[in-house]
Amino acid sequence: MEEKKFEKGINRRRFIKGAALSAGALAVLGTAGTQKAHSAPLPEKWDMESDVVVIGYGGAGACAALEAARAGCSVLLLEKMGMPGGSTTLSGGIVYAAGTKLQKSVGINDTPEAMYKYLMACGQGRAVPELVKLVSDMSSENIDWLTSMGAVFTKELLAMSGMENEPEYVEVTPPQKRGHRVRGTGSALFKVLADAVKAEKNIKILTRTSGTKLITQPTKAAANLEVVGLEATGRGKTILIKANKAVILTTGGIMPGEEAEGWLKDYSPDIAKCVAAGSPSSTGDGYKMGISCGGALKALNTGGTLPCLLFPGAKMAGIVYANIWGLPNIYVKTDGTRFCDEGANYTLVSELMFQKNATTAYCVFDASTVKKTFAMVEKGIEIQRTIALGINPENLDDQVKRGYLYKGNTIAELAKAIGADVASLTKTLENYNLNAEKGKDPEFGRTKALEPLKTAPYYAFKINPGLVAHDGGLNINTKAQVLDAHDRVIPRLYAAGRDAVGIFGGRYPASGAAIADLLVFGRIAGKNAAIEKTWS
């Protein structure tokens, strides 16, 4: 496959220029509407056609394809990688929802209204109320929808997955457990969707095929050009695809990396400092195509960030799960000192990594922590998602040999292994253990997993803030239609998942929020695309 590559360090100007040229359309950001867009002549011959074309086969793409196909449309589902799944299959498999049957079965009296209040508070004035309300109202229905297709949600894995119990949010609405985790985590969640896609005869899948340019034509009924097809590249060929009804963008947004480095520095400078903890195939393709038609971007420079482990030579980092599950450990800066309440929500910890100059730090744990991981496996958590994605507690010595995990029979040995000051790390552990035994953390106020680390051997691995989901994206309405800078609809163009802004604004609210978002807008995009009239 010949995948279109961004120039290393591509900046905003080149990103936009490439986007604008991609469909023969001119769209000027910031002055949209002051210049009339022009479309190139339509192809004399199309190589393929379908009622609905979905670009990107992750969670959002699967949902969109399913709903469009079930409405009677032919669907063409494109995926640039050899295997589908995107960031959904890499996720923890949590779906954020309120007022569900599972909550009620354990005595939790939660409502979509309470979920809405919490999400809006996390939005910090930047989230779109109509979109947040829609996701809140549909959240319980989506749990039922997934369950009907074979997803298994258990009481044991129901958790408070966000910042609901932080004082500033408790004032807004009572904290509730809204994190519905699928047994088997993200891979199991995506398998449910993929199996349903395979069962639909109306869906055709093309892997190793990238959507690169949208094709448009003028319409008398709208201010913007309407999308009637696209150019794609796959297996060394250029393919012209006619979309009889609509195109849906679900390419996964954008992740840090060489292909997006310059663009992120211009639009999302804080996010540019992160390592990628989502699918490395997310390189802004959907953004480019949306911009080419005049689509407006919204809620940039925010995202779902959390401490992550980047393996040597890897393009994608692994999420640190130890503190999410409540396993004992501490985070230290390179000087061997703590800088945060490690048990706090990962969003707050990530903020402190930036504020405390700890964008490179270490996660330290001991043999007692390792022992506790196996109890997590009995609850349905994969062994390599207990401490951190990719760390296998069953064979730590092998990982030490590989050079991304450090070990010491004493704290002094561990300090030397990670290059920290021996006296500083020793003092840090002594103070932490003394306070943990007393059940108090006077320095940072930690309460969750406040347990001593005194059982040799000791381990550590390097952590950085990692991005799992870029909050920003193409602005959409409640029908999942892409909007321009004046909130006008771009006909026949839809977006969902991380290609769209969805419910996000300021802080990322909780694990499972991105999945809740993609379920709603993926399904809505598919349903609304299906009822578009065939263009002529």
Side-chain angles (χ1 to χ4, degrees), residues 24 28 79 106 129 156 167 225 237 244 269 300 305 315 321 331 363 404 411:
V28 182
E79 170 55 43
V106 295
E156 293 78 15
L225 301 171
K237 296 180 180 180
N244 294 323
L300 302 177
T305 58
K315 291 185 177 180
Y321 284 107
Y331 291 161
C363 173
Y404 54 81
I411 297 300

Side-chain angles (χ1 to χ4, degrees), residues 462-506:
K462 187 182 296 185
I463 59 173
N464 306 99
L467 179 72
V468 293
H470 189 235
D471 285 355
L474 294 164
N475 196 17
I476 59 170
N477 60 18
T478 54
K479 294 182 178 180
Q481 295 169 301
V482 176
L483 305 176
D484 69 11
H486 299 283
D487 290 337
R488 298 175 302 199
V489 169
I490 297 172
R492 304 184 187 277
L493 183 63
Y494 296 81
R498 298 315 334 120
D499 277 357
V501 65
I503 62 173
F504 301 107

Side-chain angles (χ1 to χ4, degrees), residues 27-35 485-486:
V28 182
L29 285 184
T31 58
T34 62
Q35 295 193 37
H486 299 283

Side-chain angles (χ1 to χ4, degrees), residues 25-85:
L26 176 63
V28 182
L29 285 184
T31 58
T34 62
Q35 295 193 37
K36 190 171 180 63
H38 301 281
S39 64
L42 297 183
E44 294 182 3
K45 180 181 178 182
W46 300 93
D47 299 307
M48 303 178 69
E49 72 174 90
S50 183
D51 291 335
V52 176
V53 181
V54 181
I55 310 175
Y57 186 9
C63 291
L66 282 170
E67 293 292 19
R70 290 173 178 177
C73 291
S74 59
V75 179
L76 183 61
L77 184 51
L78 307 183
E79 170 55 43
K80 71 188 288 187
M81 305 302 287
M83 295 291 291

Side-chain angles (χ1 to χ4, degrees), residues 38-167:
H38 301 281
S39 64
L42 297 183
E44 294 182 3
K45 180 181 178 182
W46 300 93
D47 299 307
M48 303 178 69
E49 72 174 90
S50 183
D51 291 335
V52 176
V53 181
V54 181
I55 310 175
Y57 186 9
C63 291
L66 282 170
E67 293 292 19
R70 290 173 178 177
C73 291
S74 59
V75 179
L76 183 61
L77 184 51
L78 307 183
E79 170 55 43
K80 71 188 288 187
M81 305 302 287
M83 295 291 291
S87 292
T88 300
T89 196
L90 300 170
S91 75
I94 299 176
V95 184
Y96 200 73
T100 67
K101 295 174 183 176
L102 187 62
Q103 285 180 313
K104 293 174 183 177
S105 72
V106 295
I108 297 175
N109 184 23
D110 195 13
T111 64
E113 292 75 19
M115 176 174 163
Y116 169 81
K117 290 179 181 179
Y118 171 70
L119 293 177
M120 285 301 297
C122 293
Q124 298 179 329
R126 300 181 68 192
V128 180
E130 295 83 1
L131 303 182
V132 176
K133 187 176 189 308
L134 192 57
V135 171
S136 301
D137 290 345
M138 284 185 63
S139 63
S140 179
E141 174 194 332
N142 282 324
I143 296 293
D144 294 339
W145 187 67
L146 289 169
T147 301
S148 71
M149 294 188 290
V152 178
F153 297 94
T154 67
K155 299 175 183 178
E156 293 78 15
L157 297 178
L158 186 64
M160 195 175 299
S161 62
M163 300 172 285
E164 299 92 342
N165 57 1
E166 293 292 330

Side-chain angles (χ1 to χ4, degrees), residues 281-299:
S281 65
S282 300
T283 53
D285 298 349
Y287 293 175
K288 284 187 66 178
M289 287 182 275
I291 290 171
S292 76
C293 301
L297 294 168
K298 190 175 179 67

